[in-house]
């Protein structure tokens, strides 16, 4: 079991180092993991989501015990696609049934996760709220430590300037030792002095009264601060107990998970080979899909060209039909013209025949008239002689 855990840590460490993520196996351990598709907001438009992983990857919560911080880390192969430190002002928003997002001001981006089911989303959101609250408590606790560290130093410096040297100022007050002090009701009685020193004694008594009043006010203030700190510590203890119980449950779950992994460790080579084959198959399918998409685009272009050709063909067919119709009309007109021409030729031939017969008749008439003229001329000659 220890060997299996060591191997898992080494593998995770190597992957994180390759991905450019600083990680120490001694102080930072994964406390919750799930699988999801990772997206980032488009830095140009600030509206569209850009996928940073081709498929679902492991998204893990890491806890740094040294700095007391929580981080969300995800790797795609050797590339770190999420490295987000959880702060108290972060909010994980569920935008749909299987999608959630949160903004990281340090990385100046918005991360989005797409889960396979709503249960995975709700579990991730629950862990986010839990670790966010833990980060808030850790931040408040560190601030309280800084205040408690700075307050005694300021008070001790003020006491050295305002109060005389007393056993309390040298050895520490009862409040600083953790017990409730007993405040004297009256200042200590001074030693009797001669009568000529009566005036200095009254002045010393008034200064001592002022000193004890200041001490009383300081002790009351410290007592109130310690009471508030005690109440807040009690509340923090309850929260820490709840967190401890949750961490124990998570540890038991991780222990069971490690046991399951150890049980199937014998099948690891087979799983790796199957994973390699699946990756190769996915790559082949992606290349085939890309080729099909290119072929589809080519076919679309051919279909568009065929549509254009079909349109041209229909246009030419229509023009051909119109031409044939016009040709038929012209042929009919030509037939009519031929008939009319033939009729005209027949009429012309008949006219010629009638003209010839008329000419022949006219020639006969002229000949007769010539003979008549000749005969008249002879008669005239005969009659004159």
């Amino acid at each position: 079991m220890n060997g299996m855990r060591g191997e898992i840590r080494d593998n995770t460490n190597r992957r994180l180092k390759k991905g450019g993520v600083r990680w120490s196996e001694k102080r930072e351990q994964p406390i919750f993991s799930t699988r999801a598709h990772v997206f980032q907001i488009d830095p140009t438009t600030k509206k569209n989501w850009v996928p940073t992983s081709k498929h679902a990857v492991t998204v893990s919560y890491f806890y740094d015990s040294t700095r007391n911080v929580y981080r969300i880390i995800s790797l795609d192969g050797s590339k770190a696609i999420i490295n987000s430190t959880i702060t108290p002002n972060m909010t994980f928003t569920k935008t749909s049934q299987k999608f959630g997002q949160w903004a990281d001001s340090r990385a100046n981006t918005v991360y989005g996760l797409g889960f396979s089911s709503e249960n995975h989303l709700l579990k991730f959101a629950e862990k986010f709220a839990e670790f966010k609250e833990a980060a808030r408590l850790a931040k408040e606790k560190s601030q309280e430590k800084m205040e408690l560290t700075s307050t005694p130093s300021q008070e001790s410096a003020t006491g050295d300037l305002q109060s005389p040297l007393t056993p309390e100022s040298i050895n520490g007050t009862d409040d600083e030792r953790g017990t409730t002090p007993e405040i004297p009701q009256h200042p200590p009685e001074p030693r009797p002095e001669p009568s000529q020193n009566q005036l200095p004694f009254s002045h010393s008594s008034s200064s001592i009264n002022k000193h004890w009043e200041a001490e009383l006010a300081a002790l009351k203030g410290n007592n109130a601060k310690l009471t508030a700190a005690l109440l807040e510590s009690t509340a923090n203890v309850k929260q820490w107990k709840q967190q401890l119980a949750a961490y124990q449950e998570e540890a038991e779950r991780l222990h069971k998970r490690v046991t399951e992994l150890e049980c199937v460790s014998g099948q690891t080579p087979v799983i790796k080979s199957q994973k390699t084959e699946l990756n190769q198959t996915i790559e082949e399918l992606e290349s085939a899909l890309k080729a099909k998409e290119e072929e589809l685009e080519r076919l679309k272009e051919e279909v568009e060209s065929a549509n254009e050709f079909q349109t041209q063909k229909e246009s030419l067919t229509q023009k051909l039909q119109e031409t044939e119709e016009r040709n038929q009309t012209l042929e009919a007109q030509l037939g009519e013209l031929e008939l009319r021409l033939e009729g005209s030729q027949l009429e012309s031939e008949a006219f010629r025949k009638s003209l010839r017969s008329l000419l022949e008749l006219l020639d006969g008439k002229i000949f007769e008239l010539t003979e008549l003229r000749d005969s008249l001329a002879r008669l005239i000659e005969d009659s004159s002689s």
Side-chain angles (χ1 to χ4, degrees):
M1 183 182 296
N2 293 329
M4 184 66 179
R5 291 176 180 174
E7 184 179 356
I8 293 173
R9 285 197 301 268
D10 294 338
N11 292 334
T12 306
N13 193 7
R14 284 195 295 270
R15 292 180 65 191
L16 289 172
K17 286 180 179 178
K18 288 180 181 178
V21 182
R22 298 179 60 189
W23 178 76
S24 175
E25 60 179 349
K26 293 183 179 180
R27 64 181 175 86
E28 192 165 11
Q29 297 290 337
I31 53 179
F32 177 76
S33 298
T34 186
R35 293 185 67 82
H37 292 270
V38 181
F39 299 86
Q40 283 190 16
I41 200 71
D42 189 351
T44 304
T45 62
K46 298 295 184 181
K47 293 181 180 180
N48 301 324
W49 288 106
V50 178
T52 56
S53 62
K54 296 181 180 179
H55 47 79
V57 296
T58 301
V59 182
S60 302
Y61 286 100
F62 280 78
Y63 174 63
D64 188 343
S65 58
T66 303
R67 296 187 300 162
N68 200 16
V69 296
Y70 295 85
R71 289 199 297 169
I72 303 174
I73 296 176
S74 178
L75 300 176
D76 186 6
S78 60
K79 179 183 177 183
I81 55 179
I82 297 180
N83 184 13
S84 177
T85 302
I86 300 176
T87 59
N89 58 350
M90 282 186 178
T91 302
F92 183 81
T93 306
K94 176 184 175 184
T95 57
S96 66
Q97 188 175 3
K98 297 180 182 180
F99 193 86
Q101 65 184 45
W102 77 96
D104 189 344
S105 59
R106 296 183 179 179
N108 193 21
T109 187
V110 180
Y111 294 103
L113 296 180
F115 296 89
S116 59
S117 66
E118 187 176 7
N119 292 330
H120 290 83
L121 172 61
L122 295 176
K123 187 66 175 178
F124 187 88
E126 179 182 351
K127 292 296 180 181
F128 193 98
E130 177 183 343
F131 299 146
K132 172 186 172 182
E133 181 66 17
R136 185 186 67 80
L137 294 175
K139 183 177 180 181
E140 292 179 354
K141 185 177 179 182
S142 62
Q143 290 178 353
E144 289 176 0
K145 286 183 179 180
M146 293 177 63
E147 291 177 357
L148 292 176
T149 304
S150 60
T151 302
S153 61
Q154 293 175 358
E155 290 179 354
S156 61
T158 306
D160 291 340
L161 292 174
Q162 292 182 355
S163 62
L165 291 175
T166 61
E168 288 79 8
S169 64
I170 296 174
N171 299 326
T173 62
D174 294 336
D175 183 41
E176 294 174 351
R177 291 193 297 267
T179 59
T180 305
E182 294 180 1
I183 303 173
Q185 300 296 328
H186 302 284
E189 295 181 0
R191 291 182 180 179
E193 296 290 337
S195 59
Q196 61 268 22
N197 296 331
Q198 188 67 29
L199 184 60
F201 170 75
S202 62
H203 177 72
S204 176
S205 176
S206 62
S207 63
I208 291 174
N209 286 333
K210 292 180 180 179
H211 163 67
W212 283 115
E213 288 175 358
E215 288 289 335
L216 177 60
L219 290 173
K220 286 182 178 180
N222 290 334
N223 191 18
K225 290 181 179 179
L226 289 173
T227 303
L230 180 61
L231 294 174
E232 190 168 358
S233 298
T234 305
N236 290 335
V237 166
K238 292 181 180 179
Q239 293 180 353
W240 293 338
K241 285 182 179 180
Q242 294 176 358
Q243 293 179 2
L244 180 60
Y247 293 155
Q248 288 177 350
E249 292 178 358
E250 186 66 20
E252 291 178 0
R253 189 188 66 80
L254 292 175
H255 179 70
K256 292 180 180 179
R257 180 60 178 167
V258 171
T259 305
E260 293 176 358
L261 291 175
E262 289 176 351
C263 291
V264 299
S265 61
Q267 301 176 357
T268 302
V270 179
I271 295 173
K272 287 183 179 179
S273 62
Q274 291 178 354
K275 182 179 179 181
T276 305
E277 293 176 358
L278 288 175
N279 289 333
Q280 293 177 355
T281 305
I282 290 171
E283 291 177 356
E284 293 175 357
L285 290 174
E286 287 178 351
S287 60
L289 179 61
K290 187 175 180 181
K292 293 294 183 183
E293 288 178 351
E294 293 177 355
E295 185 178 359
L296 182 62
E297 292 294 331
R298 183 178 59 80
L299 291 175
K300 286 181 179 179
E301 293 177 356
E302 292 180 356
V303 169
E304 291 177 356
S305 300
N307 290 332
E308 292 178 358
F309 292 153
Q310 183 68 24
T311 304
Q312 293 177 0
K313 180 182 177 181
E314 292 176 355
S315 176
L316 291 174
T317 303
Q318 186 177 359
K319 289 181 180 180
L320 181 60
Q321 290 178 355
E322 293 176 355
T323 305
E324 289 178 352
E325 291 176 356
R326 290 180 62 187
N327 190 17
Q328 291 176 359
T329 304
L330 292 174
E331 287 179 355
Q333 292 177 358
L334 181 61
E336 292 178 358
L337 290 174
E338 288 177 352
L339 292 174
R340 289 175 63 183
L341 180 60
E342 187 177 356
S344 297
Q345 289 177 353
L346 293 173
E347 290 178 357
S348 178
E349 188 67 25
F351 180 73
R352 286 175 184 175
K353 287 180 179 181
S354 62
L355 185 62
R356 285 194 193 99
S357 60
L358 183 61
L359 287 173
E360 290 176 357
L361 180 62
L362 183 61
D363 287 339
K365 296 292 183 182
I366 291 172
F367 182 74
E368 290 177 356
L369 288 173
T370 302
E371 288 181 353
L372 180 63
R373 176 179 172 279
D374 291 337
S375 60
L376 288 175
R378 282 193 301 269
L379 289 174
I380 293 171
E381 289 178 358
D382 291 338
S383 62
S384 62
S385 57

